[in-house]
Coordinates of all heavy atoms in Angstrom, one line a residue:
M1 N 9.0 5.0 -1.1 CA 8.6 3.9 -1.9 C 8.5 2.7 -0.9 O 9.3 2.5 0.0 CB 9.7 3.6 -2.9 CG 9.3 2.5 -3.9 SD 10.4 2.4 -5.3 CE 11.9 1.9 -4.6
K2 N 7.5 1.9 -1.1 CA 7.3 0.7 -0.2 C 6.9 -0.5 -1.1 O 6.0 -0.4 -1.9 CB 6.2 1.1 0.8 CG 6.2 0.1 2.0 CD 5.2 0.6 3.0 CE 5.8 1.5 4.0 NZ 5.0 1.7 5.2
R3 N 7.5 -1.6 -0.7 CA 7.2 -2.9 -1.5 C 6.4 -3.8 -0.6 O 6.8 -4.0 0.6 CB 8.6 -3.5 -1.8 CG 8.5 -4.7 -2.7 CD 9.8 -5.1 -3.2 NE 9.8 -6.1 -4.2 CZ 10.6 -7.1 -4.3 NH1 11.6 -7.2 -3.5 NH2 10.5 -7.9 -5.3
L4 N 5.4 -4.3 -1.1 CA 4.5 -5.2 -0.4 C 4.6 -6.7 -0.9 O 4.7 -6.9 -2.1 CB 3.0 -4.8 -0.5 CG 2.7 -3.4 -0.2 CD1 1.2 -3.1 -0.4 CD2 3.1 -3.1 1.2
F5 N 4.6 -7.6 0.1 CA 4.6 -9.0 -0.2 C 3.1 -9.4 -0.3 O 2.3 -9.1 0.6 CB 5.3 -9.8 0.9 CG 5.0 -11.3 0.8 CD1 5.8 -12.0 0.0 CD2 4.1 -11.9 1.6 CE1 5.6 -13.4 -0.1 CE2 3.9 -13.3 1.5 CZ 4.6 -14.0 0.6
V6 N 2.7 -10.2 -1.3 CA 1.4 -10.7 -1.5 C 1.4 -12.2 -1.6 O 2.0 -12.7 -2.5 CB 0.7 -10.1 -2.7 CG1 -0.8 -10.6 -2.8 CG2 0.8 -8.6 -2.7
G7 N 1.0 -12.9 -0.5 CA 1.1 -14.3 -0.5 C -0.3 -15.0 -0.7 O -1.3 -14.4 -0.4
G8 N -0.3 -16.2 -1.1 CA -1.5 -17.0 -1.2 C -2.3 -16.7 -2.5 O -3.5 -17.1 -2.6
I9 N -1.6 -16.2 -3.5 CA -2.3 -15.9 -4.7 C -2.5 -17.1 -5.6 O -1.8 -18.1 -5.5 CB -1.6 -14.7 -5.6 CG1 -0.2 -15.2 -6.0 CG2 -1.6 -13.4 -4.8 CD1 0.5 -14.1 -6.9
S10 N -3.6 -17.0 -6.4 CA -3.9 -18.1 -7.3 C -2.9 -18.4 -8.3 O -2.2 -17.4 -8.8 CB -5.3 -17.8 -7.9 OG -5.5 -18.7 -9.0
W11 N -2.7 -19.6 -8.8 CA -1.8 -19.9 -9.9 C -2.2 -19.2 -11.2 O -1.4 -19.0 -12.1 CB -1.7 -21.4 -10.1 CG -0.9 -22.1 -9.1 CD1 0.1 -21.5 -8.3 CD2 -0.9 -23.5 -8.8 NE1 0.6 -22.5 -7.5 CE2 0.0 -23.7 -7.7 CE3 -1.7 -24.5 -9.2 CZ2 0.2 -24.9 -7.2 CZ3 -1.5 -25.8 -8.6 CH2 -0.6 -26.0 -7.6
D12 N -3.5 -18.8 -11.2 CA -4.0 -18.1 -12.4 C -3.8 -16.6 -12.4 O -4.0 -15.9 -13.4 CB -5.5 -18.3 -12.6 CG -5.8 -19.8 -12.8 OD1 -5.0 -20.5 -13.5 OD2 -6.9 -20.3 -12.3
T13 N -3.4 -16.0 -11.3 CA -3.2 -14.6 -11.1 C -1.9 -14.2 -11.9 O -0.9 -14.8 -11.7 CB -3.1 -14.2 -9.7 OG1 -4.3 -14.6 -9.0 CG2 -2.9 -12.7 -9.5
N14 N -2.0 -13.1 -12.7 CA -0.8 -12.7 -13.4 C -0.5 -11.3 -13.0 O -1.2 -10.7 -12.1 CB -1.0 -12.7 -15.0 CG -2.2 -11.9 -15.4 OD1 -2.5 -10.9 -14.8 ND2 -2.9 -12.3 -16.5
D15 N 0.6 -10.7 -13.5 CA 1.0 -9.4 -13.2 C 0.0 -8.3 -13.3 O -0.2 -7.4 -12.4 CB 2.3 -8.9 -14.0 CG 3.5 -9.8 -13.7 OD1 3.5 -10.6 -12.8 OD2 4.5 -9.6 -14.5
D16 N -0.8 -8.4 -14.4 CA -1.8 -7.3 -14.7 C -2.9 -7.4 -13.7 O -3.4 -6.4 -13.2 CB -2.3 -7.5 -16.1 CG -1.3 -7.1 -17.2 OD1 -0.4 -6.3 -16.9 OD2 -1.4 -7.7 -18.3
L17 N -3.4 -8.6 -13.4 CA -4.5 -8.8 -12.4 C -4.0 -8.3 -11.0 O -4.8 -7.6 -10.3 CB -4.9 -10.2 -12.3 CG -6.3 -10.4 -11.6 CD1 -7.2 -11.2 -12.5 CD2 -6.1 -11.0 -10.3
L18 N -2.8 -8.6 -10.7 CA -2.2 -8.1 -9.4 C -2.2 -6.6 -9.3 O -2.6 -6.0 -8.4 CB -0.8 -8.8 -9.2 CG -0.2 -8.6 -7.8 CD1 -1.1 -9.3 -6.7 CD2 1.2 -9.2 -7.8
R19 N -1.7 -6.0 -10.4 CA -1.6 -4.5 -10.5 C -3.0 -3.9 -10.4 O -3.2 -3.0 -9.6 CB -1.0 -4.1 -11.8 CG -0.9 -2.6 -12.0 CD -0.4 -2.2 -13.4 NE 1.0 -2.6 -13.5 CZ 2.0 -1.9 -13.1 NH1 1.8 -0.8 -12.5 NH2 3.3 -2.3 -13.3
D20 N -4.0 -4.5 -11.1 CA -5.3 -3.9 -11.1 C -6.0 -4.0 -9.8 O -6.7 -3.1 -9.3 CB -6.2 -4.7 -12.2 CG -5.8 -4.4 -13.6 OD1 -5.1 -3.4 -13.8 OD2 -6.3 -5.1 -14.5
A21 N -5.7 -5.1 -9.0 CA -6.3 -5.3 -7.7 C -5.8 -4.2 -6.7 O -6.5 -3.8 -5.8 CB -6.0 -6.7 -7.2
F22 N -4.6 -3.8 -6.9 CA -4.0 -2.8 -5.9 C -4.0 -1.4 -6.4 O -3.8 -0.5 -5.6 CB -2.5 -3.2 -5.6 CG -2.5 -4.4 -4.7 CD1 -2.6 -5.7 -5.1 CD2 -2.3 -4.2 -3.3 CE1 -2.6 -6.7 -4.2 CE2 -2.3 -5.2 -2.4 CZ -2.4 -6.5 -2.9
A23 N -4.3 -1.1 -7.7 CA -4.3 0.2 -8.2 C -5.3 1.1 -7.6 O -5.2 2.4 -7.7 CB -4.5 0.2 -9.8
R24 N -6.4 0.6 -7.0 CA -7.4 1.5 -6.4 C -6.9 2.2 -5.2 O -7.5 3.2 -4.7 CB -8.7 0.7 -6.1 CG -8.5 -0.4 -5.1 CD -9.8 -1.2 -4.9 NE -9.6 -2.3 -4.1 CZ -10.3 -2.5 -3.0 NH1 -11.3 -1.6 -2.6 NH2 -10.1 -3.5 -2.2
F25 N -5.7 1.8 -4.7 CA -5.2 2.5 -3.5 C -4.1 3.5 -3.9 O -3.7 4.2 -3.0 CB -4.5 1.4 -2.6 CG -5.5 0.4 -2.1 CD1 -5.5 -0.9 -2.7 CD2 -6.4 0.7 -1.2 CE1 -6.5 -1.8 -2.3 CE2 -7.4 -0.2 -0.8 CZ -7.4 -1.5 -1.3
G26 N -3.8 3.6 -5.2 CA -2.9 4.6 -5.6 C -2.0 4.1 -6.8 O -2.1 2.9 -7.1
P27 N -1.2 4.9 -7.4 CA -0.4 4.4 -8.5 C 0.6 3.3 -8.1 O 1.3 3.4 -7.1 CB 0.4 5.7 -8.9 CG -0.4 6.8 -8.3 CD -1.0 6.3 -7.1
V28 N 0.6 2.2 -8.8 CA 1.4 1.1 -8.6 C 2.7 1.2 -9.5 O 2.5 1.3 -10.7 CB 0.7 -0.2 -8.9 CG1 1.6 -1.4 -8.8 CG2 -0.5 -0.4 -7.9
R29 N 3.8 1.2 -8.9 CA 5.1 1.3 -9.7 C 5.4 0.0 -10.3 O 5.8 0.0 -11.5 CB 6.2 1.7 -8.7 CG 7.6 1.6 -9.4 CD 8.7 2.0 -8.5 NE 8.8 3.5 -8.5 CZ 9.9 4.1 -8.6 NH1 11.0 3.4 -8.8 NH2 9.9 5.4 -8.6
D30 N 5.1 -1.1 -9.6 CA 5.5 -2.4 -10.1 C 4.6 -3.5 -9.5 O 4.3 -3.4 -8.3 CB 7.0 -2.7 -9.9 CG 7.5 -3.9 -10.6 OD1 7.2 -4.1 -11.8 OD2 8.2 -4.7 -9.9
A31 N 4.2 -4.5 -10.2 CA 3.5 -5.6 -9.7 C 4.0 -6.8 -10.4 O 4.0 -6.9 -11.6 CB 2.0 -5.4 -10.0
R32 N 4.5 -7.8 -9.6 CA 5.1 -9.0 -10.2 C 4.7 -10.3 -9.4 O 4.8 -10.3 -8.2 CB 6.6 -8.9 -10.1 CG 7.3 -7.8 -10.8 CD 8.0 -8.4 -12.0 NE 8.7 -7.2 -12.7 CZ 8.4 -6.8 -13.8 NH1 7.4 -7.4 -14.5 NH2 9.0 -5.8 -14.4
V33 N 4.2 -11.2 -10.2 CA 4.0 -12.5 -9.7 C 5.3 -13.3 -9.9 O 5.9 -13.2 -10.9 CB 2.8 -13.2 -10.5 CG1 2.7 -14.7 -10.0 CG2 1.5 -12.5 -10.3
I34 N 5.7 -14.1 -8.9 CA 6.9 -14.8 -9.0 C 6.7 -16.2 -9.5 O 5.8 -16.9 -9.0 CB 7.6 -14.9 -7.6 CG1 7.8 -13.5 -7.0 CG2 8.9 -15.6 -7.7 CD1 8.6 -12.5 -7.9
Y35 N 7.4 -16.6 -10.5 CA 7.2 -17.9 -11.2 C 8.4 -18.8 -10.9 O 9.6 -18.3 -10.8 CB 7.1 -17.7 -12.7 CG 5.8 -16.9 -13.1 CD1 5.8 -15.6 -13.2 CD2 4.6 -17.6 -13.2 CE1 4.7 -14.9 -13.5 CE2 3.5 -17.0 -13.5 CZ 3.5 -15.6 -13.7 OH 2.3 -14.9 -14.0
D36 N 8.1 -20.1 -10.9 CA 9.2 -21.1 -10.8 C 10.0 -21.1 -12.1 O 9.4 -21.2 -13.2 CB 8.6 -22.5 -10.5 CG 9.6 -23.5 -10.3 OD1 10.1 -23.7 -9.2 OD2 9.9 -24.2 -11.4
R37 N 11.3 -21.0 -12.0 CA 12.1 -21.0 -13.3 C 12.1 -22.3 -14.0 O 12.3 -22.3 -15.2 CB 13.5 -20.4 -13.0 CG 14.4 -21.5 -12.4 CD 15.7 -20.9 -12.1 NE 15.7 -20.3 -10.8 CZ 16.7 -19.8 -10.1 NH1 17.8 -19.7 -10.7 NH2 16.5 -19.4 -8.9
D38 N 11.9 -23.4 -13.4 CA 11.9 -24.7 -14.0 C 10.5 -25.0 -14.7 O 10.5 -25.4 -15.9 CB 12.3 -25.8 -13.1 CG 13.7 -25.6 -12.6 OD1 14.6 -25.2 -13.4 OD2 14.0 -26.0 -11.4
S39 N 9.5 -24.9 -13.9 CA 8.1 -25.3 -14.4 C 7.4 -24.1 -15.1 O 6.5 -24.4 -15.9 CB 7.3 -25.8 -13.3 OG 6.9 -24.7 -12.4
G40 N 7.8 -22.9 -14.8 CA 7.1 -21.7 -15.4 C 5.8 -21.4 -14.7 O 5.0 -20.5 -15.0
R41 N 5.5 -22.2 -13.6 CA 4.2 -22.0 -12.9 C 4.4 -21.0 -11.7 O 5.5 -20.9 -11.2 CB 3.9 -23.4 -12.3 CG 2.5 -23.5 -11.8 CD 2.2 -24.9 -11.4 NE 0.7 -25.1 -11.4 CZ 0.2 -26.2 -11.1 NH1 0.9 -27.3 -10.8 NH2 -1.1 -26.3 -11.1
S42 N 3.3 -20.3 -11.4 CA 3.4 -19.3 -10.3 C 3.8 -20.0 -9.0 O 3.4 -21.2 -8.8 CB 2.0 -18.7 -10.1 OG 1.9 -18.0 -8.9
R43 N 4.5 -19.3 -8.2 CA 4.9 -19.9 -6.9 C 3.9 -19.5 -5.8 O 4.1 -19.8 -4.6 CB 6.3 -19.4 -6.5 CG 7.4 -20.0 -7.5 CD 8.8 -19.7 -7.1 NE 9.1 -20.2 -5.8 CZ 10.1 -19.9 -5.1 NH1 11.0 -19.0 -5.5 NH2 10.4 -20.4 -3.9
G44 N 2.9 -18.8 -6.2 CA 1.8 -18.5 -5.2 C 2.0 -17.2 -4.5 O 1.3 -16.9 -3.5
F45 N 3.0 -16.4 -4.9 CA 3.2 -15.1 -4.2 C 3.7 -14.1 -5.2 O 4.1 -14.4 -6.3 CB 4.1 -15.2 -3.0 CG 5.5 -15.5 -3.3 CD1 6.5 -14.5 -3.5 CD2 6.0 -16.9 -3.4 CE1 7.8 -14.8 -3.8 CE2 7.3 -17.2 -3.7 CZ 8.2 -16.1 -3.9
G46 N 3.7 -12.8 -4.8 CA 4.2 -11.8 -5.7 C 4.5 -10.5 -4.8 O 4.4 -10.5 -3.6
F47 N 4.9 -9.5 -5.5 CA 5.2 -8.2 -4.9 C 4.6 -7.0 -5.6 O 4.5 -7.1 -6.9 CB 6.7 -8.0 -4.9 CG 7.5 -9.0 -4.1 CD1 8.0 -10.2 -4.7 CD2 7.6 -8.9 -2.7 CE1 8.6 -11.1 -4.0 CE2 8.3 -9.9 -2.0 CZ 8.8 -11.0 -2.6
V48 N 4.1 -6.1 -4.9 CA 3.5 -4.8 -5.4 C 4.3 -3.7 -4.8 O 4.5 -3.6 -3.6 CB 2.0 -4.7 -5.1 CG1 1.4 -3.4 -5.6 CG2 1.3 -5.9 -5.6
T49 N 4.7 -2.7 -5.6 CA 5.5 -1.6 -5.2 C 4.7 -0.3 -5.4 O 4.2 -0.1 -6.5 CB 6.9 -1.5 -5.9 OG1 7.5 -2.7 -5.7 CG2 7.7 -0.4 -5.3
F50 N 4.6 0.5 -4.4 CA 4.0 1.8 -4.4 C 5.0 2.9 -4.2 O 5.9 2.7 -3.4 CB 2.9 2.0 -3.3 CG 1.6 1.2 -3.5 CD1 1.5 -0.1 -3.0 CD2 0.6 1.8 -4.2 CE1 0.3 -0.8 -3.2 CE2 -0.6 1.1 -4.3 CZ -0.7 -0.2 -3.8
D51 N 4.9 4.0 -4.9 CA 5.8 5.1 -4.7 C 5.5 5.8 -3.4 O 6.3 6.3 -2.6 CB 5.7 6.2 -5.8 CG 6.5 5.7 -7.0 OD1 7.5 5.1 -6.9 OD2 6.0 6.0 -8.2
N52 N 4.2 5.8 -3.0 CA 3.7 6.5 -1.9 C 3.5 5.6 -0.7 O 2.7 4.6 -0.8 CB 2.4 7.3 -2.2 CG 1.8 8.1 -1.1 OD1 1.6 7.6 0.0 ND2 1.6 9.4 -1.4
D53 N 4.1 5.8 0.4 CA 4.0 4.9 1.6 C 2.6 4.8 2.1 O 2.2 3.7 2.6 CB 5.0 5.3 2.7 CG 6.5 5.0 2.3 OD1 6.7 4.5 1.2 OD2 7.4 5.3 3.1
E54 N 1.9 5.9 2.1 CA 0.5 5.9 2.6 C -0.4 5.1 1.8 O -1.2 4.4 2.3 CB 0.0 7.4 2.7 CG 0.6 8.2 3.8 CD 0.0 9.6 3.9 OE1 -1.1 9.8 3.4 OE2 0.7 10.5 4.4
D55 N -0.2 5.1 0.5 CA -1.0 4.2 -0.4 C -0.7 2.8 -0.1 O -1.6 2.0 -0.1 CB -0.6 4.5 -1.9 CG -1.1 5.9 -2.4 OD1 -1.9 6.5 -1.7 OD2 -0.6 6.3 -3.4
A56 N 0.6 2.4 0.1 CA 1.0 1.1 0.4 C 0.3 0.6 1.7 O -0.2 -0.5 1.9 CB 2.5 0.9 0.5
D57 N 0.4 1.5 2.8 CA -0.2 1.2 4.1 C -1.7 0.9 4.0 O -2.2 0.0 4.6 CB 0.1 2.3 5.1 CG 1.6 2.4 5.4 OD1 2.4 1.4 5.2 OD2 2.0 3.4 5.9
N58 N -2.3 1.8 3.2 CA -3.8 1.6 3.0 C -4.1 0.3 2.3 O -5.1 -0.4 2.6 CB -4.3 2.8 2.2 CG -5.8 3.0 2.2 OD1 -6.5 2.4 3.0 ND2 -6.3 3.7 1.2
A59 N -3.3 -0.1 1.3 CA -3.4 -1.3 0.6 C -3.3 -2.5 1.5 O -4.1 -3.5 1.5 CB -2.5 -1.5 -0.6
V60 N -2.3 -2.5 2.4 CA -2.1 -3.6 3.4 C -3.3 -3.7 4.3 O -3.9 -4.8 4.5 CB -0.8 -3.3 4.3 CG1 -0.8 -4.3 5.4 CG2 0.4 -3.5 3.4
E61 N -3.8 -2.5 4.8 CA -4.9 -2.5 5.7 C -6.2 -3.1 5.1 O -7.0 -3.8 5.7 CB -5.2 -1.1 6.1 CG -6.0 -0.9 7.4 CD -6.0 0.5 7.8 OE1 -4.9 1.1 8.1 OE2 -7.1 1.1 7.9
N62 N -6.4 -2.8 3.8 CA -7.6 -3.1 3.1 C -7.6 -4.5 2.3 O -8.6 -5.1 2.1 CB -8.1 -2.0 2.2 CG -8.6 -0.8 2.9 OD1 -9.7 -0.8 3.4 ND2 -7.8 0.2 3.1
M63 N -6.4 -4.9 1.9 CA -6.3 -6.1 1.1 C -5.9 -7.4 1.9 O -6.2 -8.5 1.4 CB -5.3 -5.9 0.0 CG -5.8 -4.9 -1.1 SD -7.2 -5.5 -2.0 CE -6.6 -6.7 -3.0
D64 N -5.3 -7.2 3.0 CA -4.8 -8.4 3.8 C -6.1 -9.2 4.2 O -7.0 -8.7 4.9 CB -4.0 -8.0 5.0 CG -3.4 -9.2 5.7 OD1 -2.9 -10.1 5.1 OD2 -3.5 -9.2 7.0
G65 N -6.1 -10.5 3.9 CA -7.2 -11.3 4.2 C -8.4 -11.3 3.3 O -9.4 -12.0 3.4
Q66 N -8.3 -10.5 2.2 CA -9.3 -10.4 1.2 C -9.2 -11.5 0.1 O -8.1 -12.1 0.0 CB -9.3 -9.0 0.6 CG -9.6 -7.9 1.5 CD -11.0 -8.1 2.2 OE1 -12.0 -8.2 1.6 NE2 -11.0 -8.0 3.5
E67 N -10.2 -11.7 -0.7 CA -10.2 -12.6 -1.7 C -9.7 -12.0 -3.0 O -10.2 -10.9 -3.4 CB -11.5 -13.3 -1.9 CG -11.5 -14.5 -2.7 CD -12.8 -15.3 -2.7 OE1 -13.1 -15.8 -1.6 OE2 -13.4 -15.4 -3.7
L68 N -8.8 -12.7 -3.7 CA -8.3 -12.2 -5.0 C -8.3 -13.4 -5.9 O -7.6 -14.4 -5.6 CB -7.0 -11.6 -4.9 CG -6.3 -11.2 -6.3 CD1 -7.1 -10.1 -7.0 CD2 -4.9 -10.7 -6.0
D69 N -9.0 -13.4 -7.0 CA -9.0 -14.5 -8.0 C -9.3 -15.9 -7.3 O -8.7 -16.9 -7.6 CB -7.6 -14.5 -8.7 CG -7.7 -15.0 -10.1 OD1 -8.8 -15.1 -10.7 OD2 -6.6 -15.3 -10.7
G70 N -10.2 -15.8 -6.4 CA -10.7 -17.1 -5.7 C -9.9 -17.5 -4.6 O -10.2 -18.6 -4.0
R71 N -8.9 -16.8 -4.2 CA -8.0 -17.2 -3.0 C -7.9 -16.0 -2.0 O -7.9 -14.9 -2.4 CB -6.6 -17.5 -3.5 CG -6.4 -18.6 -4.5 CD -6.4 -20.0 -3.8 NE -5.5 -20.1 -2.7 CZ -4.3 -20.6 -2.8 NH1 -3.8 -21.1 -3.9 NH2 -3.6 -20.7 -1.7
R72 N -7.9 -16.4 -0.7 CA -7.7 -15.4 0.3 C -6.2 -15.1 0.4 O -5.4 -16.0 0.6 CB -8.2 -15.9 1.7 CG -8.3 -14.8 2.7 CD -9.2 -15.3 3.9 NE -10.5 -15.7 3.5 CZ -11.6 -14.9 3.3 NH1 -11.4 -13.6 3.3 NH2 -12.7 -15.4 3.0
I73 N -5.9 -13.8 0.3 CA -4.4 -13.4 0.2 C -3.9 -12.8 1.5 O -4.7 -12.3 2.3 CB -4.2 -12.4 -1.0 CG1 -5.0 -11.2 -0.8 CG2 -4.5 -13.1 -2.3 CD1 -4.7 -10.1 -1.8
R74 N -2.6 -12.9 1.7 CA -2.0 -12.2 2.8 C -1.1 -11.1 2.2 O -0.4 -11.3 1.2 CB -1.0 -13.2 3.5 CG -1.7 -14.4 4.1 CD -0.7 -15.3 4.8 NE 0.5 -15.5 4.1 CZ 0.7 -16.4 3.1 NH1 -0.3 -17.1 2.6 NH2 1.9 -16.5 2.5
V75 N -1.2 -9.9 2.8 CA -0.5 -8.7 2.3 C 0.2 -8.1 3.5 O -0.4 -7.8 4.5 CB -1.5 -7.7 1.7 CG1 -0.7 -6.5 1.1 CG2 -2.3 -8.4 0.6
N76 N 1.5 -7.9 3.4 CA 2.3 -7.2 4.4 C 3.5 -6.5 3.7 O 3.8 -6.8 2.6 CB 2.6 -8.0 5.6 CG 3.2 -9.4 5.2 OD1 4.2 -9.4 4.4 ND2 2.7 -10.4 5.7
E77 N 4.1 -5.7 4.5 CA 5.3 -5.0 3.9 C 6.4 -6.1 3.7 O 6.7 -6.9 4.6 CB 5.8 -3.9 4.9 CG 6.9 -3.1 4.3 CD 7.3 -1.9 5.2 OE1 6.6 -1.6 6.1 OE2 8.3 -1.3 4.9
A78 N 7.0 -6.0 2.6 CA 8.1 -7.0 2.2 C 9.4 -6.6 3.0 O 9.7 -5.5 3.2 CB 8.4 -6.9 0.7
M79 N 10.0 -7.6 3.4 CA 11.3 -7.5 4.2 C 12.5 -7.6 3.2 O 12.4 -8.3 2.2 CB 11.5 -8.5 5.2 CG 10.4 -8.5 6.3 SD 10.5 -7.0 7.2 CE 9.2 -7.2 8.4
D80 N 13.5 -6.8 3.4 CA 14.7 -6.9 2.6 C 15.3 -8.3 2.8 O 15.3 -8.8 3.9 CB 15.7 -5.9 3.0 CG 15.3 -4.5 2.5 OD1 14.6 -4.3 1.5 OD2 15.8 -3.5 3.2
R81 N 15.8 -8.9 1.7 CA 16.3 -10.2 1.7 C 17.6 -10.3 2.6 O 17.9 -11.3 3.1 CB 16.6 -10.7 0.3 CG 15.3 -11.1 -0.4 CD 15.6 -11.5 -1.8 NE 16.1 -12.8 -1.8 CZ 16.3 -13.6 -2.8 NH1 16.0 -13.1 -4.0 NH2 16.8 -14.8 -2.8
G82 N 18.3 -9.2 2.6 CA 19.6 -9.2 3.3 C 20.6 -10.0 2.6 O 20.4 -10.6 1.5
S83 N 21.8 -10.1 3.1 CA 22.8 -10.9 2.5 C 23.1 -12.1 3.3 O 22.8 -12.2 4.5 CB 24.1 -10.0 2.4 OG 24.5 -9.7 3.7
G84 N 23.6 -13.1 2.6 CA 24.0 -14.3 3.3 C 22.7 -15.2 3.6 O 21.7 -15.1 3.0
G85 N 22.9 -16.0 4.6 CA 21.8 -17.0 4.9 C 21.8 -18.1 4.0 O 22.8 -18.4 3.3
G86 N 20.7 -18.8 3.9 CA 20.7 -19.9 3.0 C 21.1 -21.2 3.7 O 21.7 -21.1 4.8
G87 N 20.9 -22.3 3.1 CA 21.3 -23.6 3.7 C 22.8 -23.8 3.6 O 23.4 -23.6 2.6
G88 N 23.4 -24.3 4.7 CA 24.8 -24.6 4.7 C 25.0 -26.0 4.1 O 24.1 -26.8 4.1
G89 N 26.1 -26.2 3.5 CA 26.5 -27.5 3.0 C 27.2 -28.3 4.0 O 27.5 -27.9 5.1
R90 N 27.3 -29.6 3.7 CA 28.0 -30.5 4.6 C 29.5 -30.4 4.4 O 30.0 -30.1 3.3 CB 27.6 -31.9 4.3 CG 26.2 -32.1 4.7 CD 25.8 -33.6 4.5 NE 24.5 -33.8 4.7 CZ 24.0 -34.5 5.8 NH1 24.8 -35.1 6.6 NH2 22.7 -34.7 5.9
Y91 N 30.3 -30.6 5.4 CA 31.7 -30.5 5.3 C 32.4 -31.8 5.4 O 31.9 -32.7 6.0 CB 32.3 -29.5 6.3 CG 31.9 -28.1 6.1 CD1 30.8 -27.6 6.8 CD2 32.6 -27.3 5.2 CE1 30.5 -26.3 6.6 CE2 32.2 -26.0 5.0 CZ 31.2 -25.5 5.7 OH 30.8 -24.2 5.5

């Protein structure tokens, strides 16, 4: 299973459109546009998950730099968030 980061998406792009755009490369397990919890507006990126790593690699190769919903998107393998990090507070 491989999760892809999709950046630069239009504010009008929704989960279904994102799924449809990537489904031609193989079965999509999950497609999610990330929304701001306060405004409810798209944050301009999302994630697409494929069960098959080869399908995901093919999607990256063919979709990175392409236009989706009027915007040129960036597609690459998503990195694990890891633990910790974040901004430190003042002491």
